[in-house]
Amino acid sequence: MKPICPNCHSSHVIENIDTSIQSISEHVLSPKLLVSLSVSVCKYYKINPMIGMVAGSAIATVINLAQQRLMQPPLIRAAVMPRYLCSTCQHSFSL
């Protein structure tokens, strides 16, 4: 059964999936970016770039492990009520 918007009673409703925060953190904190940034910092301060590569990889690994620990298990995520967005009035709601 397709949900109906409680605001305008339209049946033009889509499921609203909010992955914007996750995708931003994946791009900003990507291992490639952290390694290249740490290598650039090491070159600027005239330190061996290999040290920067190792440091950037270590930081990326720690951040990746922390993000995995903060992620919810699939069963808890499935239990969360889905959000819907009305295409007609742009009202966001859950059932």
Side-chain angles (χ1 to χ4, degrees), residues 68-83:
Q68 287 177 357
R69 281 208 167 173
L70 293 176
M71 283 181 45
Q72 295 177 346
L75 293 176
I76 293 174
R77 194 176 312 144
V80 175
M81 296 178 111
R83 303 276 308 162

Side-chain angles (χ1 to χ4, degrees), residues 1-6 9-15 84 93 95:
M1 182 174 162
K2 192 165 183 147
I4 295 177
C5 176
H9 306 291
S10 172
S11 63
H12 299 288
V13 175
I14 56 172
E15 190 170 351
Y84 297 97
F93 63 94
L95 299 177

Side-chain angles (χ1 to χ4, degrees), residues 36-57:
S36 64
L37 180 68
S38 61
V39 167
S40 298
V41 168
C42 284
K43 283 182 181 178
Y44 179 79
Y45 287 110
K46 296 179 182 166
I47 301 172
N48 188 351
M50 289 300 290
I51 295 172
M53 190 179 302
V54 171
S57 298

